Amino acid sequence: MKGKNNSSLLPPIKPLLIVLSGLSGVGKDTVLAGLRKAGFPAYISVSATTRPRRPGEKDGADYYFVSPEKFKTMVNGEELLEWATVYGHRYGIPKEPVRQALKNGKDVIVKIDVQGAATIKKKVPQAVLIFLMTLTMAELEDRLKKRRTETAAELELRLKTAVKELDRIPMFDYVVVNREGKVNQAIADINAIITAEKCRANQRECVV
Ligand code: 5GP
């Protein structure tokens, strides 16, 4: 056909701010590592925290491990997109890298607790909220025990908090179950969610 126009009929796909939240110990890090390994082209946000480093964790990769004073400076300087005290330590998302990634058209994934997800929903209502959970409480307890990073009292607190957090599920857009030994299914579910979001007729506009 003469004068054929090859320009796309679709508007450019907008980048997403994806919030991966859920119960402590549910496997958020494992799922994220799986997404990274699969070459998922998102910017995965690294939070700042005042929590002490666990064996094997790397500064700048797992978290930015900072002093309480440095964290306060970041809060006062409005450098954090959201921050919260979780189990006695402070955690927050550095805003600038998230803003830059979205500006460059890159999807962003943030890994935060349930109260952090609520804050993001208020600040960025178009963010995609995913809740990751185990199928049973016994599975969650088992995983927390295996990880051996909490004392008995800390473990009890995390399990008690988990029960309350389950009530917040309606705030989320999606729920993904990370079944024992089936992490690849959870990763595939999250990939499917993102694919569906990319196919929306009315795209989300995530502005930070
Ligand atoms: P952990 O100390 O086990 O790495 O993390 C404890 C909890 O803090 C997890 O639920 C984790 O998702 C959450 N968390 C990590 N970074 C942030 C953050 O920047 N903001 C909030 N609100 N929670 C976070």
Side-chain angles (χ1 to χ4, degrees):
M1 196 170 58
K2 216 176 163 198
K4 200 160 53 176
N5 185 349
N6 279 328
S7 57
S8 171
L9 295 170
L10 289 170
I13 292 176
K14 292 181 180 148
L16 297 168
L17 174 60
I18 300 154
V19 175
L20 182 64
S21 189
L23 312 177
S24 169
V26 72
K28 296 189 284 276
D29 290 303
T30 315
V31 165
L32 272 185
L35 284 168
R36 251 195 218 115
K37 211 170 147 200
F40 187 72
Y43 166 66
I44 299 178
S45 163
V46 178
S47 291
T49 184
T50 60
R51 157 167 88 59
R53 193 143 50 108
R54 292 184 189 136
E57 283 185 331
K58 285 202 188 92
D59 187 41
D62 297 288
Y63 285 104
Y64 293 106
F65 295 96
V66 299
S67 65
E69 294 72 31
K70 168 77 183 155
F71 197 92
K72 213 167 169 185
T73 309
M74 293 170 99
V75 172
N76 292 340
E78 297 186 4
E79 292 172 39
L80 302 174
L81 174 60
E82 129 349 276
W83 68 272
T85 304
V86 189
Y87 306 115
H89 301 292
R90 288 178 166 188
Y91 297 80
I93 304 167
K95 192 167 17 183
E96 206 40 43
V98 173
R99 183 177 279 160
Q100 275 307 321
L102 291 172
K103 212 172 127 195
N104 294 334
K106 210 165 187 184
D107 297 325
V108 173
I109 304 184
V110 298
K111 180 204 75 166
I112 49 178
D113 80 325
V114 172
Q115 52 175 332
T119 307
I120 295 282
K121 197 178 164 77
K122 268 195 216 123
K123 286 195 173 172
V124 190
Q126 296 279 307
V128 182
L129 267 62
I130 303 174
F131 187 84
L132 192 68
M133 61 184 289
T134 49
L135 196 57
T136 64
M137 227 37 208
E139 263 181 39
L140 184 68
E141 189 170 349
D142 224 44
R143 278 186 218 174
L144 282 169
K145 275 185 182 155
K146 270 192 203 140
R147 142 169 132 169
R148 292 208 219 156
T149 50
E150 281 81 26
T151 62
E154 281 168 350
L155 186 99
E156 198 178 320
L157 176 63
R158 287 186 187 228
L159 290 172
K160 263 195 194 148
T161 308
V163 175
K164 282 192 221 139
E165 287 180 341
L166 289 171
D167 289 342
R168 309 292 304 273
I169 289 179
M171 167 181 90
F172 288 80
D173 297 299
Y174 299 96
V175 177
V176 172
V177 179
N178 186 15
R179 292 193 173 88
E180 195 56 50
K182 300 260 193 254
V183 68
N184 285 340
Q185 184 57 54
I187 294 167
D189 287 352
I190 292 173
N191 259 319
I193 289 166
I194 296 167
T195 303
E197 285 290 339
K198 297 279 174 196
C199 295
R200 280 173 72 109
N202 298 301
Q203 287 187 47
R204 295 174 187 256
E205 174 112 41
C206 300
V207 182
V208 165

Coordinates of all heavy atoms in Angstrom, one line a residue, residues 20-25 28-29 45-49 51 54 57 63 82-87 89-94 110-117 119 147 149-150 158 165, ligand 1:
L20 N 6.2 -4.4 46.3 CA 6.1 -5.8 46.8 C 6.1 -5.9 48.3 O 7.1 -5.5 48.9 CB 7.3 -6.6 46.2 CG 7.3 -8.1 46.5 CD1 6.1 -8.8 45.9 CD2 8.6 -8.8 46.0
S21 N 5.0 -6.2 48.8 CA 4.9 -6.2 50.3 C 4.4 -7.6 50.8 O 4.3 -8.5 50.0 CB 3.9 -5.1 50.7 OG 3.9 -4.9 52.1
G22 N 4.2 -7.7 52.0 CA 3.7 -9.0 52.6 C 4.3 -9.3 53.9 O 5.1 -8.5 54.5
L23 N 4.0 -10.5 54.4 CA 4.4 -10.9 55.7 C 5.9 -11.0 55.8 O 6.6 -11.4 54.8 CB 3.7 -12.2 56.1 CG 2.2 -12.3 55.8 CD1 1.7 -13.6 56.1 CD2 1.5 -11.2 56.6
S24 N 6.5 -10.6 57.0 CA 7.9 -10.8 57.2 C 8.3 -12.2 57.2 O 7.7 -13.1 57.9 CB 8.3 -10.1 58.5 OG 9.6 -10.5 58.9
G25 N 9.3 -12.6 56.3 CA 9.7 -14.0 56.3 C 9.0 -14.8 55.2 O 9.3 -16.0 55.0
K28 N 10.1 -12.4 50.2 CA 10.1 -11.3 49.3 C 11.5 -11.2 48.6 O 11.6 -11.0 47.4 CB 9.8 -10.0 50.0 CG 8.4 -9.9 50.6 CD 8.1 -8.5 51.0 CE 8.7 -8.1 52.4 NZ 8.0 -8.5 53.6
D29 N 12.5 -11.4 49.4 CA 13.9 -11.3 48.9 C 14.2 -12.4 47.8 O 14.8 -12.2 46.8 CB 15.0 -11.4 50.0 CG 14.9 -10.1 50.8 OD1 15.1 -9.0 50.2 OD2 14.7 -10.2 52.0
S45 N 14.6 -1.1 44.0 CA 15.0 -0.1 45.0 C 15.8 -0.7 46.2 O 15.4 -1.8 46.7 CB 13.8 0.7 45.5 OG 14.1 1.4 46.6
V46 N 16.8 0.0 46.6 CA 17.6 -0.5 47.8 C 17.2 0.5 48.9 O 17.5 1.7 48.8 CB 19.1 -0.5 47.6 CG1 19.9 -0.9 48.8 CG2 19.4 -1.4 46.4
S47 N 16.7 0.0 50.0 CA 16.3 0.9 51.1 C 17.5 1.2 52.0 O 18.4 0.5 52.1 CB 15.2 0.2 52.0 OG 14.0 0.1 51.3
A48 N 17.3 2.3 52.8 CA 18.2 2.6 53.8 C 17.7 2.1 55.1 O 16.5 2.0 55.3 CB 18.4 4.1 54.0
T49 N 18.5 1.6 56.0 CA 18.0 1.0 57.3 C 19.0 1.3 58.4 O 20.3 1.3 58.2 CB 17.7 -0.5 57.2 OG1 17.1 -0.9 58.5 CG2 18.9 -1.3 57.0
R51 N 18.9 -0.9 60.8 CA 19.1 -2.3 61.4 C 20.6 -2.8 61.1 O 21.1 -2.5 60.1 CB 18.1 -3.2 60.7 CG 18.5 -4.7 60.7 CD 17.5 -5.7 60.4 NE 17.4 -6.0 59.0 CZ 18.3 -6.6 58.2 NH1 19.6 -6.7 58.6 NH2 18.0 -6.9 57.0
R54 N 23.1 -8.3 58.7 CA 23.1 -9.7 59.0 C 24.3 -10.3 58.2 O 24.7 -9.8 57.2 CB 21.8 -10.4 58.5 CG 20.6 -9.9 59.3 CD 19.4 -10.7 58.8 NE 18.2 -10.2 59.4 CZ 17.0 -10.0 58.7 NH1 16.9 -10.3 57.4 NH2 16.0 -9.5 59.3
E57 N 24.9 -10.1 54.2 CA 24.3 -8.9 53.6 C 25.4 -7.9 53.2 O 26.4 -7.8 53.8 CB 23.3 -8.3 54.6 CG 22.0 -9.0 54.7 CD 21.0 -8.3 55.5 OE1 21.4 -7.6 56.5 OE2 19.8 -8.5 55.3
Y63 N 20.8 -3.5 51.5 CA 20.4 -2.2 52.1 C 21.5 -1.2 52.1 O 22.7 -1.6 51.9 CB 20.0 -2.4 53.6 CG 18.6 -3.1 53.8 CD1 18.6 -4.4 54.2 CD2 17.4 -2.4 53.7 CE1 17.4 -5.1 54.5 CE2 16.2 -3.1 53.9 CZ 16.2 -4.4 54.3 OH 15.0 -5.0 54.6
E82 N 9.3 7.2 51.4 CA 8.5 6.7 52.5 C 9.5 6.1 53.5 O 10.6 5.7 53.2 CB 7.5 5.7 52.0 CG 7.2 4.3 52.4 CD 8.0 3.5 53.4 OE1 9.0 2.8 53.0 OE2 7.6 3.4 54.5
W83 N 9.1 6.2 54.8 CA 10.0 5.6 55.8 C 9.1 5.1 57.0 O 8.0 5.6 57.1 CB 11.1 6.5 56.3 CG 10.7 7.7 57.1 CD1 10.3 8.9 56.6 CD2 10.5 7.7 58.5 NE1 10.0 9.7 57.6 CE2 10.1 9.1 58.8 CE3 10.7 6.8 59.6 CZ2 9.9 9.5 60.1 CZ3 10.5 7.3 60.9 CH2 10.1 8.6 61.1
A84 N 9.6 4.1 57.7 CA 8.8 3.6 58.8 C 9.7 2.9 59.8 O 10.9 2.6 59.5 CB 7.8 2.5 58.3
T85 N 9.2 2.7 61.0 CA 9.9 1.9 62.0 C 9.3 0.5 62.0 O 8.1 0.4 62.1 CB 9.8 2.6 63.4 OG1 10.2 3.9 63.3 CG2 10.6 1.8 64.4
V86 N 10.2 -0.4 61.7 CA 9.7 -1.8 61.6 C 10.5 -2.7 62.6 O 11.7 -2.7 62.4 CB 9.9 -2.4 60.1 CG1 9.2 -3.7 60.0 CG2 9.4 -1.4 59.1
Y87 N 9.8 -3.3 63.5 CA 10.5 -4.1 64.5 C 11.7 -3.4 65.1 O 12.7 -3.9 65.3 CB 10.9 -5.4 63.9 CG 9.8 -6.2 63.3 CD1 9.8 -6.4 61.9 CD2 8.7 -6.6 64.0 CE1 8.7 -7.1 61.3 CE2 7.6 -7.2 63.4 CZ 7.7 -7.5 62.0 OH 6.6 -8.1 61.4
H89 N 13.5 -0.9 64.1 CA 14.6 -0.3 63.3 C 13.9 0.6 62.2 O 12.7 0.3 61.9 CB 15.5 -1.3 62.6 CG 16.2 -2.2 63.6 ND1 17.2 -1.7 64.4 CD2 16.0 -3.5 63.9 CE1 17.6 -2.7 65.2 NE2 16.9 -3.8 64.9
R90 N 14.6 1.5 61.7 CA 14.1 2.4 60.7 C 14.5 1.9 59.3 O 15.6 1.5 59.1 CB 14.5 3.8 60.9 CG 13.8 4.4 62.2 CD 14.2 5.7 62.5 NE 13.2 6.3 63.4 CZ 13.2 7.5 63.8 NH1 14.0 8.4 63.4 NH2 12.3 7.9 64.7
Y91 N 13.5 2.1 58.4 CA 13.7 1.7 57.0 C 13.1 2.8 56.1 O 12.0 3.3 56.5 CB 13.0 0.4 56.7 CG 13.4 -0.8 57.4 CD1 13.0 -1.1 58.7 CD2 14.2 -1.8 56.9 CE1 13.4 -2.2 59.4 CE2 14.6 -2.9 57.5 CZ 14.2 -3.1 58.8 OH 14.6 -4.3 59.5
G92 N 13.8 3.1 55.0 CA 13.2 4.1 54.1 C 13.7 3.9 52.7 O 14.8 3.4 52.5
I93 N 12.9 4.4 51.8 CA 13.2 4.3 50.4 C 13.8 5.6 49.9 O 13.1 6.6 49.8 CB 11.9 4.0 49.5 CG1 11.2 2.8 50.0 CG2 12.3 3.9 48.1 CD1 9.8 2.6 49.5
P94 N 15.1 5.6 49.4 CA 15.6 6.8 48.9 C 14.8 7.2 47.6 O 14.6 6.4 46.7 CB 17.1 6.4 48.5 CG 17.4 5.3 49.4 CD 16.1 4.5 49.6
V110 N 9.7 -1.8 44.7 CA 10.1 -1.5 46.1 C 9.6 -2.6 47.0 O 8.5 -3.1 46.8 CB 9.7 -0.1 46.6 CG1 10.2 1.0 45.8 CG2 8.2 0.0 46.7
K111 N 10.5 -3.0 47.9 CA 10.2 -4.1 48.8 C 10.0 -3.5 50.2 O 10.9 -3.1 50.8 CB 11.3 -5.1 48.8 CG 11.2 -6.3 49.7 CD 12.5 -6.9 50.1 CE 13.2 -6.0 51.1 NZ 14.3 -6.6 51.8
I112 N 8.7 -3.5 50.6 CA 8.5 -2.8 51.9 C 7.4 -3.6 52.7 O 6.7 -4.4 52.2 CB 8.0 -1.3 51.7 CG1 6.9 -1.3 50.7 CG2 9.2 -0.5 51.3 CD1 6.4 0.1 50.5
D113 N 7.3 -3.1 54.0 CA 6.3 -3.8 54.9 C 4.9 -3.2 54.6 O 4.8 -2.3 53.8 CB 6.7 -3.6 56.4 CG 6.4 -2.3 56.9 OD1 6.5 -1.3 56.1 OD2 6.0 -2.2 58.1
V114 N 3.9 -3.7 55.3 CA 2.5 -3.4 54.9 C 2.2 -1.9 55.3 O 1.6 -1.2 54.5 CB 1.6 -4.3 55.7 CG1 0.1 -3.9 55.5 CG2 1.8 -5.7 55.1
Q115 N 2.8 -1.4 56.4 CA 2.5 0.1 56.6 C 3.2 0.9 55.6 O 2.6 2.0 55.2 CB 3.0 0.5 58.1 CG 4.4 0.1 58.4 CD 4.9 0.6 59.7 OE1 4.4 1.6 60.2 NE2 5.8 -0.1 60.3
G116 N 4.3 0.5 55.1 CA 5.0 1.3 54.0 C 4.2 1.2 52.7 O 4.1 2.2 52.0
A117 N 3.5 0.1 52.5 CA 2.7 0.0 51.3 C 1.5 1.0 51.4 O 1.1 1.6 50.4 CB 2.2 -1.5 51.1
T119 N 1.5 3.8 53.0 CA 2.0 5.2 52.7 C 2.2 5.4 51.2 O 1.8 6.5 50.7 CB 3.4 5.3 53.5 OG1 3.2 5.0 54.8 CG2 3.9 6.8 53.3
R147 N 15.3 -19.3 58.9 CA 16.2 -18.2 58.6 C 17.1 -17.9 59.8 O 18.2 -17.3 59.6 CB 15.3 -17.1 58.1 CG 15.6 -15.8 58.4 CD 14.7 -14.9 57.5 NE 14.1 -13.9 58.4 CZ 13.5 -12.8 57.9 NH1 13.3 -12.6 56.7 NH2 13.0 -11.9 58.8
T149 N 17.3 -15.7 62.1 CA 17.8 -14.3 62.3 C 17.1 -13.6 63.4 O 17.5 -12.5 63.8 CB 17.7 -13.5 61.0 OG1 16.4 -13.6 60.5 CG2 18.7 -13.9 59.9
E150 N 16.1 -14.2 63.9 CA 15.3 -13.6 65.0 C 15.4 -14.4 66.3 O 15.5 -15.6 66.3 CB 13.8 -13.5 64.6 CG 13.4 -12.4 63.7 CD 13.7 -12.7 62.2 OE1 13.7 -13.9 61.9 OE2 14.0 -11.8 61.5
R158 N 6.8 -11.1 65.1 CA 6.6 -11.1 63.7 C 5.3 -11.9 63.3 O 4.6 -11.6 62.4 CB 7.8 -11.7 62.9 CG 8.9 -10.6 62.9 CD 10.2 -10.9 62.1 NE 11.2 -9.9 62.4 CZ 11.9 -9.3 61.5 NH1 11.7 -9.6 60.2 NH2 12.8 -8.4 61.8
E165 N -1.6 -8.1 59.8 CA -1.3 -7.6 58.4 C -2.2 -8.3 57.4 O -2.5 -7.7 56.4 CB 0.2 -7.8 58.1 CG 1.1 -6.8 58.8 CD 2.5 -7.0 58.5 OE1 2.9 -8.1 58.0 OE2 3.3 -6.0 58.7
Ligands
5GP1 P1 14.3 -7.2 57.3 O1 14.9 -6.5 58.5 O2 13.8 -8.6 57.6 O3 15.2 -7.1 56.1 O4 13.0 -6.3 56.9 C1 11.9 -6.1 57.9 C2 10.7 -5.6 57.2 O5 11.0 -4.2 56.7 C3 10.3 -6.3 55.9 O6 8.9 -6.5 55.9 C4 10.8 -5.4 54.8 O7 10.0 -5.6 53.6 C5 10.6 -4.1 55.4 N1 11.3 -3.0 54.7 C6 12.4 -3.0 54.1 N2 12.7 -1.8 53.5 C7 11.7 -1.0 53.9 C8 11.4 0.4 53.6 O8 12.1 1.1 52.9 N3 10.2 0.9 54.1 C9 9.4 0.1 54.8 N4 8.2 0.6 55.2 N5 9.6 -1.2 55.1 C10 10.8 -1.7 54.6

